[in-house]
Amino acid sequence: MYNILILEDDCIQLKTLSEIIKQSSDVYKVYEASNTAEAMKAALTERIDLFYIDISLKNESGLKFAEEIRKEEGYKLTWIVFVTIYKDYMLPAFKKIHCYDYILKPYNKENIQKITKLLLSDDRAQVAATEIRENFIIVNVKNIQVKIFVSEIIFVEVFIRTSIIHTINGSFTIDYLSLKKLNSMINDKNILQSHRSYLVNVKYINKIEKTTDKTSYKIYFYNTTDTALLGNNYKKCIIERFNNAIGGDINDRI
């Protein structure tokens, strides 16, 4: 039996979503909550395997509830699917909560049943186990503790006292965190220093070119239009790793 908790303050939509899930399998037990207090009580009383959370509640914040759930030791990696009528909520939800997915209202029965079965299948249990083993760092972004998987980091840049971590899910700005400290936190063989102000993930490097003034090099990446710098002191190591990854010789082209 799998326990699913729905937080939705619209009574009709709450019942609709609940029935859709119940109809998809008799191994799902659905807990319904119309406010965050009810939802938290259910989450702390029962062991919830999957959350469906409406982001924009009338007098409360579903996003804030998800942040509180993530603070509970048993729910750091539990599947969360957000429900919203606003697409603009998607990126903040992924950044802050590391949720699995989001669905738009009005509900699509087939999509909901498909997502539910996927997340609560044996295959997704294996994915969950993999995520637990995967390296991640926790950083403070505007007083919110954000979890970032190391494998999703494209590159890092530091300016004076501000660090920006560019990932496949967006960029995160952290104050008062040095490049040296970040490098020790990340501690990954694929993420190397390329400049006194940059760390780069060699797996995401697309190409390396000389800058227009011919005095340094610029690194381009997959998944972002932002670029990083390559200093002469780090050039040999980065280019060797890049050549090994693409099976060519970039020195012939820069």
Side-chain angles (χ1 to χ4, degrees):
M1 182 69 69
Y2 293 100
N3 292 332
I4 300 170
L5 175 61
I6 303 172
L7 172 57
E8 167 64 75
D9 61 0
D10 184 295
C11 181
I12 295 176
Q13 296 196 48
L14 175 61
K15 292 298 181 183
T16 299
L17 182 54
S18 179
E19 286 303 314
I20 289 174
I21 294 172
K22 290 176 182 177
Q23 290 171 13
S24 62
S25 175
D26 57 5
V27 300
Y28 301 149
K29 183 173 183 179
V30 180
Y31 294 86
E32 302 173 1
S34 59
N35 57 64
T36 58
E38 290 178 357
M40 185 60 74
K41 181 179 179 180
L44 297 179
T45 302
E46 307 294 336
R47 173 59 193 175
I48 304 302
D49 301 293
L50 169 62
F51 291 89
Y52 277 98
I53 300 174
D54 185 3
I55 288 184
S56 43
L57 304 170
K58 291 185 179 69
N59 300 311
E60 301 175 288
S61 169
L63 199 59
K64 180 65 176 177
F65 169 77
E67 291 176 33
E68 294 302 313
I69 279 294
R70 283 290 187 239
K71 294 176 184 178
E72 298 294 326
E73 188 64 32
Y75 291 123
K76 291 187 180 297
L77 291 172
T78 302
W79 302 117
I80 292 178
V81 176
F82 284 115
V83 179
T84 181
I85 59 174
Y86 304 109
K87 289 184 178 180
D88 292 344
Y89 273 118
M90 183 187 70
L91 188 56
F94 272 91
K95 283 184 175 181
K96 292 182 179 181
I97 311 300
H98 205 82
C99 71
Y100 171 76
D101 205 346
Y102 77 107
I103 56 176
L104 294 174
K105 299 179 183 179
Y107 302 126
N108 181 294
K109 181 177 179 179
E110 291 184 0
N111 287 345
I112 291 170
Q113 293 181 343
K114 181 179 178 181
I115 290 173
T116 303
K117 289 179 179 180
L118 175 65
L119 295 183
L120 298 181
S121 68
D122 291 338
D123 289 341
R124 294 311 300 177
Q126 181 60 44
V127 172
T130 301
E131 286 195 349
I132 291 172
R133 293 191 297 269
E134 187 177 349
N135 291 332
F136 61 87
I137 60 174
I138 303 292
V139 294
N140 190 311
V141 180
K142 295 181 179 179
N143 296 319
I144 296 174
Q145 296 298 306
V146 176
K147 175 181 179 180
I148 301 174
F149 284 98
V150 171
S151 63
E152 296 177 350
I153 295 174
I154 300 173
F155 75 98
V156 176
E157 56 183 321
V158 176
F159 299 102
I160 308 176
R161 297 182 179 181
T162 300
S163 299
I164 304 175
I165 302 177
H166 299 267
T167 79
I168 61 176
N169 294 316
S171 299
F172 304 86
T173 301
I174 306 102
D175 294 325
Y176 306 107
L177 185 59
S178 68
L179 193 74
K180 182 178 180 180
K181 176 64 175 177
L182 257 175
N183 201 9
S184 66
M185 290 169 60
I186 293 170
N187 190 27
D188 186 272
K189 65 180 181 180
N190 291 314
I191 297 181
L192 306 173
Q193 188 163 357
S194 67
H195 184 274
R196 65 177 181 271
S197 301
Y198 290 86
L199 300 173
V200 299
N201 190 334
V202 294
K203 295 191 304 179
Y204 290 100
I205 295 178
N206 181 19
K207 64 180 178 178
I208 301 173
E209 290 183 345
K210 280 186 178 179
T211 56
T212 53
D213 60 11
K214 307 296 184 182
T215 60
S216 59
Y217 299 86
K218 186 176 290 187
I219 301 175
Y220 296 81
F221 304 92
Y222 297 105
N223 298 101
T224 182
T225 57
D226 294 310
T227 60
L229 293 178
L230 174 59
N232 287 322
N233 292 337
Y234 308 94
K235 175 186 170 185
K236 181 179 179 180
C237 180
I238 295 293
I239 290 178
E240 282 181 355
R241 288 294 302 275
F242 183 56
N243 283 338
N244 290 335
I246 66 173
D249 188 358
I250 197 172
N251 287 294
D252 295 335
R253 305 191 296 279
I254 63 174

